[in-house]
Amino acid sequence: DQQVKQNSPSLSVQEGRISILNCDYTNSMFDYFLWYKKYPAEGPTFLISISSIKDKNEDGRFTVFLNKSAKHLSLHIVPSQPGDSAVYFCAAITGNQFYFGTGTSLTVIP
Amino acid sequence: DSGVTQTPKHLITATGQRVTLRCSPRSGDLSVYWYQQSLDQGLQFLIQYYNGEERAKGNILERFSAQQFPDLHSELNLSSLELGDSALYFCASTTGDNYGYTFGSGTRLTVV
């Protein structure tokens, strides 16, 4: 059973607009969440993380929001740039266990 | 169960030894990726196989090797183990490059 879900396999956004990538999870014991970005034929690179005791973390154009009551995580990219086109994974950690979503492919249209 | 099976779940071994990690991809997936997750370096891409052939190589040490067999399961071989090789090793499978990644639950390797 998938404990971390990314229900949108793909997303297209116009350059300069906001990209919102969503992630849902089932385990209330997750204590840390991460977002990774992956280009084709490369490995994922770490983007941004958030502790379960926070509800928002911001780093430049990237902001992650955590809604624990809804068990929902989202990554906002503002403004979106063509170089942001990639696959984005969310991941959740409890103890020493990592759980990954299946990824959302973001395309930013110039 | 995500559909990707990794064995063993935990492995403790001594420095200088050799271990083999196994990954069975989700049914129908031809591509297998191996990743190393360590506390200080995050998720590092090691290598990708597609239908038995090496497709891409990342930060994989010469002491490490991998292969994908005709039944599509993959093995990651780690030799001359060092303390710094202690990490979580994940495999993921997919049918394509841009969607449908499924990660296994990982193998936790501890080198003592």
mmCIF file of all heavy atoms in Angstrom, chain A residues 5-41:
data_model
loop_
_atom_site.group_PDB
_atom_site.id
_atom_site.type_symbol
_atom_site.label_atom_id
_atom_site.label_comp_id
_atom_site.label_asym_id
_atom_site.label_seq_id
_atom_site.Cartn_x
_atom_site.Cartn_y
_atom_site.Cartn_z
ATOM 1 N N LYS A 5 1.366 9.480 -1.635
ATOM 2 C CA LYS A 5 0.755 9.452 -2.963
ATOM 3 C C LYS A 5 0.856 10.803 -3.653
ATOM 4 O O LYS A 5 0.590 11.844 -3.059
ATOM 5 C CB LYS A 5 -0.728 9.079 -2.857
ATOM 6 C CG LYS A 5 -0.956 7.685 -2.315
ATOM 7 C CD LYS A 5 -2.442 7.388 -2.191
ATOM 8 C CE LYS A 5 -2.643 6.027 -1.553
ATOM 9 N NZ LYS A 5 -4.059 5.703 -1.348
ATOM 10 N N GLN A 6 1.235 10.745 -4.919
ATOM 11 C CA GLN A 6 1.182 11.915 -5.773
ATOM 12 C C GLN A 6 0.206 11.557 -6.875
ATOM 13 O O GLN A 6 0.527 10.785 -7.771
ATOM 14 C CB GLN A 6 2.566 12.254 -6.333
ATOM 15 C CG GLN A 6 3.532 12.722 -5.261
ATOM 16 C CD GLN A 6 4.924 12.974 -5.803
ATOM 17 O OE1 GLN A 6 5.816 12.152 -5.647
ATOM 18 N NE2 GLN A 6 5.112 14.117 -6.431
ATOM 19 N N ASN A 7 -0.995 12.094 -6.764
ATOM 20 C CA ASN A 7 -2.071 11.633 -7.636
ATOM 21 C C ASN A 7 -2.060 12.255 -9.021
ATOM 22 O O ASN A 7 -2.785 11.800 -9.910
ATOM 23 C CB ASN A 7 -3.415 11.896 -6.961
ATOM 24 C CG ASN A 7 -3.591 11.017 -5.731
ATOM 25 O OD1 ASN A 7 -3.274 9.834 -5.756
ATOM 26 N ND2 ASN A 7 -4.079 11.600 -4.650
ATOM 27 N N SER A 8 -1.266 13.301 -9.210
ATOM 28 C CA SER A 8 -1.177 13.905 -10.538
ATOM 29 C C SER A 8 0.119 13.473 -11.192
ATOM 30 O O SER A 8 1.183 13.914 -10.785
ATOM 31 C CB SER A 8 -1.220 15.429 -10.433
ATOM 32 O OG SER A 8 -2.415 15.865 -9.867
ATOM 33 N N PRO A 9 0.058 12.647 -12.221
ATOM 34 C CA PRO A 9 1.301 12.212 -12.857
ATOM 35 C C PRO A 9 1.981 13.327 -13.642
ATOM 36 O O PRO A 9 3.194 13.288 -13.828
ATOM 37 C CB PRO A 9 0.869 11.096 -13.810
ATOM 38 C CG PRO A 9 -0.610 11.134 -13.873
ATOM 39 C CD PRO A 9 -1.118 11.967 -12.752
ATOM 40 N N SER A 10 1.204 14.333 -14.060
ATOM 41 C CA SER A 10 1.829 15.405 -14.829
ATOM 42 C C SER A 10 1.112 16.726 -14.597
ATOM 43 O O SER A 10 -0.051 16.757 -14.182
ATOM 44 C CB SER A 10 1.835 15.062 -16.321
ATOM 45 O OG SER A 10 0.518 14.956 -16.791
ATOM 46 N N LEU A 11 1.849 17.796 -14.883
ATOM 47 C CA LEU A 11 1.331 19.153 -14.688
ATOM 48 C C LEU A 11 2.028 20.060 -15.682
ATOM 49 O O LEU A 11 3.252 19.989 -15.838
ATOM 50 C CB LEU A 11 1.636 19.615 -13.255
ATOM 51 C CG LEU A 11 1.292 21.039 -12.850
ATOM 52 C CD1 LEU A 11 -0.225 21.204 -12.812
ATOM 53 C CD2 LEU A 11 1.880 21.366 -11.487
ATOM 54 N N SER A 12 1.257 20.914 -16.346
ATOM 55 C CA SER A 12 1.829 21.908 -17.266
ATOM 56 C C SER A 12 1.461 23.300 -16.785
ATOM 57 O O SER A 12 0.298 23.557 -16.444
ATOM 58 C CB SER A 12 1.292 21.707 -18.677
ATOM 59 O OG SER A 12 1.810 20.557 -19.252
ATOM 60 N N VAL A 13 2.443 24.180 -16.763
ATOM 61 C CA VAL A 13 2.239 25.538 -16.256
ATOM 62 C C VAL A 13 2.955 26.516 -17.174
ATOM 63 O O VAL A 13 4.037 26.205 -17.710
ATOM 64 C CB VAL A 13 2.806 25.651 -14.817
ATOM 65 C CG1 VAL A 13 2.843 27.067 -14.334
ATOM 66 C CG2 VAL A 13 2.001 24.799 -13.863
ATOM 67 N N GLN A 14 2.396 27.676 -17.341
ATOM 68 C CA GLN A 14 3.027 28.720 -18.143
ATOM 69 C C GLN A 14 4.165 29.356 -17.353
ATOM 70 O O GLN A 14 4.071 29.535 -16.122
ATOM 71 C CB GLN A 14 1.968 29.789 -18.477
ATOM 72 C CG GLN A 14 2.202 30.551 -19.747
ATOM 73 C CD GLN A 14 1.992 29.715 -20.991
ATOM 74 O OE1 GLN A 14 1.141 28.829 -21.024
ATOM 75 N NE2 GLN A 14 2.758 30.002 -22.021
ATOM 76 N N GLU A 15 5.217 29.705 -18.061
ATOM 77 C CA GLU A 15 6.355 30.377 -17.434
ATOM 78 C C GLU A 15 5.880 31.621 -16.695
ATOM 79 O O GLU A 15 5.048 32.381 -17.198
ATOM 80 C CB GLU A 15 7.379 30.763 -18.498
ATOM 81 C CG GLU A 15 8.609 31.461 -17.948
ATOM 82 C CD GLU A 15 9.624 31.797 -19.032
ATOM 83 O OE1 GLU A 15 9.332 31.564 -20.227
ATOM 84 O OE2 GLU A 15 10.709 32.286 -18.687
ATOM 85 N N GLY A 16 6.410 31.826 -15.483
ATOM 86 C CA GLY A 16 6.050 32.998 -14.699
ATOM 87 C C GLY A 16 4.880 32.775 -13.754
ATOM 88 O O GLY A 16 4.698 33.542 -12.804
ATOM 89 N N ARG A 17 4.099 31.710 -14.023
ATOM 90 C CA ARG A 17 2.947 31.441 -13.157
ATOM 91 C C ARG A 17 3.376 30.539 -12.000
ATOM 92 O O ARG A 17 4.521 30.107 -11.907
ATOM 93 C CB ARG A 17 1.832 30.761 -13.960
ATOM 94 C CG ARG A 17 1.433 31.512 -15.219
ATOM 95 C CD ARG A 17 0.763 32.832 -14.913
ATOM 96 N NE ARG A 17 -0.569 32.689 -14.388
ATOM 97 C CZ ARG A 17 -1.677 32.686 -15.118
ATOM 98 N NH1 ARG A 17 -1.598 32.787 -16.432
ATOM 99 N NH2 ARG A 17 -2.850 32.585 -14.532
ATOM 100 N N ILE A 18 2.439 30.228 -11.137
ATOM 101 C CA ILE A 18 2.725 29.384 -9.993
ATOM 102 C C ILE A 18 2.533 27.908 -10.356
ATOM 103 O O ILE A 18 1.574 27.551 -11.047
ATOM 104 C CB ILE A 18 1.837 29.751 -8.771
ATOM 105 C CG1 ILE A 18 2.207 28.925 -7.547
ATOM 106 C CG2 ILE A 18 0.364 29.600 -9.113
ATOM 107 C CD1 ILE A 18 1.508 29.386 -6.273
ATOM 108 N N SER A 19 3.461 27.064 -9.920
ATOM 109 C CA SER A 19 3.300 25.607 -10.034
ATOM 110 C C SER A 19 2.981 25.080 -8.641
ATOM 111 O O SER A 19 3.667 25.441 -7.671
ATOM 112 C CB SER A 19 4.584 24.931 -10.519
ATOM 113 O OG SER A 19 4.904 25.325 -11.833
ATOM 114 N N ILE A 20 1.969 24.270 -8.553
ATOM 115 C CA ILE A 20 1.598 23.660 -7.269
ATOM 116 C C ILE A 20 1.601 22.145 -7.435
ATOM 117 O O ILE A 20 0.822 21.592 -8.212
ATOM 118 C CB ILE A 20 0.219 24.140 -6.782
ATOM 119 C CG1 ILE A 20 0.220 25.657 -6.617
ATOM 120 C CG2 ILE A 20 -0.140 23.451 -5.455
ATOM 121 C CD1 ILE A 20 -1.127 26.242 -6.219
ATOM 122 N N LEU A 21 2.497 21.508 -6.717
ATOM 123 C CA LEU A 21 2.598 20.044 -6.761
ATOM 124 C C LEU A 21 2.094 19.492 -5.437
ATOM 125 O O LEU A 21 2.478 19.982 -4.376
ATOM 126 C CB LEU A 21 4.035 19.613 -7.019
ATOM 127 C CG LEU A 21 4.572 20.098 -8.355
ATOM 128 C CD1 LEU A 21 5.719 21.055 -8.181
ATOM 129 C CD2 LEU A 21 4.990 18.925 -9.209
ATOM 130 N N ASN A 22 1.255 18.492 -5.512
ATOM 131 C CA ASN A 22 0.585 17.976 -4.329
ATOM 132 C C ASN A 22 1.020 16.567 -3.952
ATOM 133 O O ASN A 22 1.434 15.783 -4.812
ATOM 134 C CB ASN A 22 -0.931 17.982 -4.552
ATOM 135 C CG ASN A 22 -1.477 19.381 -4.673
ATOM 136 O OD1 ASN A 22 -1.266 20.212 -3.803
ATOM 137 N ND2 ASN A 22 -2.185 19.655 -5.772
ATOM 138 N N CYS A 23 0.882 16.301 -2.675
ATOM 139 C CA CYS A 23 1.309 15.007 -2.133
ATOM 140 C C CYS A 23 0.401 14.695 -0.942
ATOM 141 O O CYS A 23 0.173 15.566 -0.095
ATOM 142 C CB CYS A 23 2.771 15.130 -1.705
ATOM 143 S SG CYS A 23 3.497 13.642 -1.052
ATOM 144 N N ASP A 24 -0.133 13.497 -0.895
ATOM 145 C CA ASP A 24 -0.952 13.063 0.231
ATOM 146 C C ASP A 24 -0.294 11.881 0.916
ATOM 147 O O ASP A 24 0.377 11.077 0.264
ATOM 148 C CB ASP A 24 -2.348 12.657 -0.253
ATOM 149 C CG ASP A 24 -3.100 13.812 -0.864
ATOM 150 O OD1 ASP A 24 -3.357 14.782 -0.124
ATOM 151 O OD2 ASP A 24 -3.401 13.757 -2.074
ATOM 152 N N TYR A 25 -0.487 11.772 2.203
ATOM 153 C CA TYR A 25 0.111 10.655 2.923
ATOM 154 C C TYR A 25 -0.903 10.070 3.901
ATOM 155 O O TYR A 25 -1.921 10.695 4.219
ATOM 156 C CB TYR A 25 1.391 11.090 3.644
ATOM 157 C CG TYR A 25 1.217 12.184 4.677
ATOM 158 C CD1 TYR A 25 1.031 11.872 6.017
ATOM 159 C CD2 TYR A 25 1.254 13.527 4.305
ATOM 160 C CE1 TYR A 25 0.886 12.862 6.968
ATOM 161 C CE2 TYR A 25 1.103 14.523 5.244
ATOM 162 C CZ TYR A 25 0.925 14.195 6.576
ATOM 163 O OH TYR A 25 0.770 15.179 7.522
ATOM 164 N N THR A 26 -0.626 8.869 4.333
ATOM 165 C CA THR A 26 -1.593 8.187 5.190
ATOM 166 C C THR A 26 -1.113 8.003 6.621
ATOM 167 O O THR A 26 -1.929 7.819 7.522
ATOM 168 C CB THR A 26 -1.942 6.804 4.602
ATOM 169 O OG1 THR A 26 -0.726 6.043 4.476
ATOM 170 C CG2 THR A 26 -2.590 6.937 3.238
ATOM 171 N N ASN A 27 0.194 8.071 6.826
ATOM 172 C CA ASN A 27 0.759 7.740 8.136
ATOM 173 C C ASN A 27 0.971 9.006 8.961
ATOM 174 O O ASN A 27 1.815 9.837 8.634
ATOM 175 C CB ASN A 27 2.085 7.004 7.928
ATOM 176 C CG ASN A 27 2.653 6.427 9.212
ATOM 177 O OD1 ASN A 27 2.232 6.796 10.306
ATOM 178 N ND2 ASN A 27 3.603 5.523 9.080
ATOM 179 N N SER A 28 0.225 9.133 10.051
ATOM 180 C CA SER A 28 0.340 10.335 10.881
ATOM 181 C C SER A 28 1.644 10.361 11.692
ATOM 182 O O SER A 28 1.948 11.346 12.342
ATOM 183 C CB SER A 28 -0.855 10.432 11.826
ATOM 184 O OG SER A 28 -0.918 9.279 12.642
ATOM 185 N N MET A 29 2.409 9.271 11.623
ATOM 186 C CA MET A 29 3.667 9.215 12.367
ATOM 187 C C MET A 29 4.843 9.790 11.583
ATOM 188 O O MET A 29 5.948 9.879 12.104
ATOM 189 C CB MET A 29 3.988 7.757 12.748
ATOM 190 C CG MET A 29 2.950 7.121 13.644
ATOM 191 S SD MET A 29 2.705 8.041 15.169
ATOM 192 C CE MET A 29 4.258 7.712 15.988
ATOM 193 N N PHE A 30 4.635 10.160 10.337
ATOM 194 C CA PHE A 30 5.735 10.769 9.580
ATOM 195 C C PHE A 30 6.189 12.030 10.289
ATOM 196 O O PHE A 30 5.368 12.858 10.690
ATOM 197 C CB PHE A 30 5.293 11.121 8.158
ATOM 198 C CG PHE A 30 5.128 9.926 7.260
ATOM 199 C CD1 PHE A 30 4.047 9.852 6.395
ATOM 200 C CD2 PHE A 30 6.045 8.904 7.253
ATOM 201 C CE1 PHE A 30 3.880 8.755 5.551
ATOM 202 C CE2 PHE A 30 5.897 7.805 6.425
ATOM 203 C CZ PHE A 30 4.807 7.738 5.568
ATOM 204 N N ASP A 31 7.491 12.178 10.451
ATOM 205 C CA ASP A 31 7.956 13.345 11.186
ATOM 206 C C ASP A 31 8.783 14.299 10.331
ATOM 207 O O ASP A 31 9.199 15.359 10.817
ATOM 208 C CB ASP A 31 8.724 12.938 12.455
ATOM 209 C CG ASP A 31 9.726 11.844 12.199
ATOM 210 O OD1 ASP A 31 10.194 11.745 11.060
ATOM 211 O OD2 ASP A 31 10.043 11.093 13.123
ATOM 212 N N TYR A 32 9.001 13.951 9.075
ATOM 213 C CA TYR A 32 9.775 14.832 8.213
ATOM 214 C C TYR A 32 9.367 14.565 6.781
ATOM 215 O O TYR A 32 9.138 13.412 6.406
ATOM 216 C CB TYR A 32 11.273 14.522 8.410
ATOM 217 C CG TYR A 32 12.177 15.699 8.292
ATOM 218 C CD1 TYR A 32 12.117 16.737 9.212
ATOM 219 C CD2 TYR A 32 13.104 15.784 7.261
ATOM 220 C CE1 TYR A 32 12.948 17.824 9.106
ATOM 221 C CE2 TYR A 32 13.936 16.872 7.155
ATOM 222 C CZ TYR A 32 13.864 17.890 8.072
ATOM 223 O OH TYR A 32 14.699 18.958 7.966
ATOM 224 N N PHE A 33 9.280 15.634 5.995
ATOM 225 C CA PHE A 33 8.882 15.500 4.587
ATOM 226 C C PHE A 33 9.893 16.210 3.705
ATOM 227 O O PHE A 33 10.440 17.245 4.073
ATOM 228 C CB PHE A 33 7.496 16.122 4.365
ATOM 229 C CG PHE A 33 6.424 15.490 5.211
ATOM 230 C CD1 PHE A 33 6.159 15.972 6.486
ATOM 231 C CD2 PHE A 33 5.691 14.406 4.737
ATOM 232 C CE1 PHE A 33 5.183 15.382 7.278
ATOM 233 C CE2 PHE A 33 4.714 13.821 5.524
ATOM 234 C CZ PHE A 33 4.462 14.306 6.792
ATOM 235 N N LEU A 34 10.128 15.643 2.535
ATOM 236 C CA LEU A 34 11.121 16.205 1.624
ATOM 237 C C LEU A 34 10.562 16.246 0.208
ATOM 238 O O LEU A 34 9.706 15.444 -0.155
ATOM 239 C CB LEU A 34 12.392 15.348 1.598
ATOM 240 C CG LEU A 34 13.071 14.997 2.906
ATOM 241 C CD1 LEU A 34 12.588 13.645 3.410
ATOM 242 C CD2 LEU A 34 14.576 14.948 2.739
ATOM 243 N N TRP A 35 11.065 17.178 -0.570
ATOM 244 C CA TRP A 35 10.795 17.219 -2.003
ATOM 245 C C TRP A 35 12.109 17.076 -2.750
ATOM 246 O O TRP A 35 13.112 17.692 -2.406
ATOM 247 C CB TRP A 35 10.123 18.523 -2.411
ATOM 248 C CG TRP A 35 8.671 18.593 -2.070
ATOM 249 C CD1 TRP A 35 8.106 19.135 -0.959
ATOM 250 C CD2 TRP A 35 7.587 18.092 -2.873
ATOM 251 N NE1 TRP A 35 6.748 18.993 -1.011
ATOM 252 C CE2 TRP A 35 6.399 18.375 -2.160
ATOM 253 C CE3 TRP A 35 7.498 17.440 -4.104
ATOM 254 C CZ2 TRP A 35 5.134 18.025 -2.652
ATOM 255 C CZ3 TRP A 35 6.251 17.106 -4.596
ATOM 256 C CH2 TRP A 35 5.090 17.387 -3.875
ATOM 257 N N TYR A 36 12.065 16.231 -3.798
ATOM 258 C CA TYR A 36 13.217 16.025 -4.661
ATOM 259 C C TYR A 36 12.807 16.383 -6.090
ATOM 260 O O TYR A 36 11.658 16.246 -6.481
ATOM 261 C CB TYR A 36 13.660 14.557 -4.659
ATOM 262 C CG TYR A 36 14.279 14.062 -3.378
ATOM 263 C CD1 TYR A 36 13.489 13.538 -2.364
ATOM 264 C CD2 TYR A 36 15.651 14.080 -3.201
ATOM 265 C CE1 TYR A 36 14.053 13.059 -1.198
ATOM 266 C CE2 TYR A 36 16.228 13.593 -2.032
ATOM 267 C CZ TYR A 36 15.417 13.081 -1.037
ATOM 268 O OH TYR A 36 15.980 12.603 0.110
ATOM 269 N N LYS A 37 13.809 16.756 -6.869
ATOM 270 C CA LYS A 37 13.601 17.094 -8.272
ATOM 271 C C LYS A 37 14.491 16.188 -9.106
ATOM 272 O O LYS A 37 15.652 15.950 -8.733
ATOM 273 C CB LYS A 37 13.994 18.554 -8.472
ATOM 274 C CG LYS A 37 13.992 19.074 -9.879
ATOM 275 C CD LYS A 37 14.450 20.536 -9.835
ATOM 276 C CE LYS A 37 14.542 21.133 -11.196
ATOM 277 N NZ LYS A 37 14.998 22.537 -11.126
ATOM 278 N N LYS A 38 13.975 15.684 -10.212
ATOM 279 C CA LYS A 38 14.752 14.759 -11.015
ATOM 280 C C LYS A 38 14.651 15.101 -12.501
ATOM 281 O O LYS A 38 13.565 15.190 -13.056
ATOM 282 C CB LYS A 38 14.265 13.332 -10.780
ATOM 283 C CG LYS A 38 15.041 12.294 -11.579
ATOM 284 C CD LYS A 38 14.380 10.933 -11.490
ATOM 285 C CE LYS A 38 15.118 9.899 -12.320
ATOM 286 N NZ LYS A 38 15.260 10.263 -13.722
ATOM 287 N N TYR A 39 15.820 15.266 -13.147
ATOM 288 C CA TYR A 39 15.859 15.416 -14.597
ATOM 289 C C TYR A 39 16.050 14.040 -15.216
ATOM 290 O O TYR A 39 16.577 13.131 -14.566
ATOM 291 C CB TYR A 39 17.016 16.323 -15.016
ATOM 292 C CG TYR A 39 16.853 17.760 -14.593
ATOM 293 C CD1 TYR A 39 17.722 18.341 -13.667
ATOM 294 C CD2 TYR A 39 15.835 18.564 -15.117
ATOM 295 C CE1 TYR A 39 17.590 19.656 -13.283
ATOM 296 C CE2 TYR A 39 15.689 19.878 -14.731
ATOM 297 C CZ TYR A 39 16.573 20.419 -13.805
ATOM 298 O OH TYR A 39 16.434 21.721 -13.414
ATOM 299 N N PRO A 40 15.650 13.844 -16.470
ATOM 300 C CA PRO A 40 15.836 12.549 -17.129
ATOM 301 C C PRO A 40 17.285 12.081 -17.094
ATOM 302 O O PRO A 40 18.202 12.889 -17.256
ATOM 303 C CB PRO A 40 15.382 12.817 -18.573
ATOM 304 C CG PRO A 40 14.432 13.952 -18.453
ATOM 305 C CD PRO A 40 14.937 14.803 -17.331
ATOM 306 N N ALA A 41 17.497 10.817 -16.858
ATOM 307 C CA ALA A 41 18.820 10.179 -16.830
ATOM 308 C C ALA A 41 19.701 10.710 -15.702
ATOM 309 O O ALA A 41 20.903 10.491 -15.715
ATOM 310 C CB ALA A 41 19.531 10.323 -18.173
#
